[in-house]
Amino acid sequence: MSIYLQRSLLLPEIQLKENTPGGIRIMGVITVLWGGLLFVLGAGILAMPPEAKKDVIQQLGGDNPAILTPMGIVFLLIGFILTFNANLSFRFLREWTRRNEGQGEE
């Protein structure tokens, strides 16, 4: 999440730059897509049958198919963290937008 957005929410007298909300939206969408991809990849790795894991490891030149399970868990965690962070940023951006619209009416 943008540190400038946090500052602006905590101290309303500090204004955001004009392009910051748009940048947060663009980066948030990219982050959600990337996090979703990692999450699906991690779930796919964990859902693989043991025979498929052995085949994948053999094709990669390894000898221990058990390494795929922790890899899948790490992908799941990173994907979840990225999408959670982007959703928090979107929520705080909505809050900031709501506050600014309220100030504009006064």
Side-chain angles (χ1 to χ4, degrees), residues 28 42 54 58 72 78 103:
K54 288 178 187 176
Q58 286 176 354
I78 292 173
Q103 288 178 354

Side-chain angles (χ1 to χ4, degrees), residues 10-93:
L10 291 174
L11 305 168
E13 61 272 4
I14 298 176
Q15 295 295 318
L16 280 180
K17 293 181 186 175
E18 187 176 312
N19 61 352
T20 301
I24 290 173
R25 287 183 187 101
I26 292 169
M27 293 304 294
V29 168
I30 292 170
T31 302
V32 166
L33 291 174
W34 184 248
L37 178 70
L38 285 175
F39 191 84
V40 168
L41 180 63
I45 289 173
L46 291 177
M48 285 174 117
E51 301 82 31
K53 287 182 182 180
K54 288 178 187 176
D55 292 340
V56 169
I57 290 296
Q58 286 176 354
Q59 289 175 3
L60 294 175
D63 58 351
N64 187 5
I67 192 70
L68 287 179
T69 300
M71 244 171 72
I73 293 170
V74 168
F75 286 159
L76 275 174
L77 287 174
I78 292 173
F80 176 76
I81 289 168
L82 287 174
T83 54
F84 184 76
N85 186 27
N87 284 322
L88 274 178
S89 295
F90 289 145
R91 180 179 292 162
F92 288 131
L93 188 59

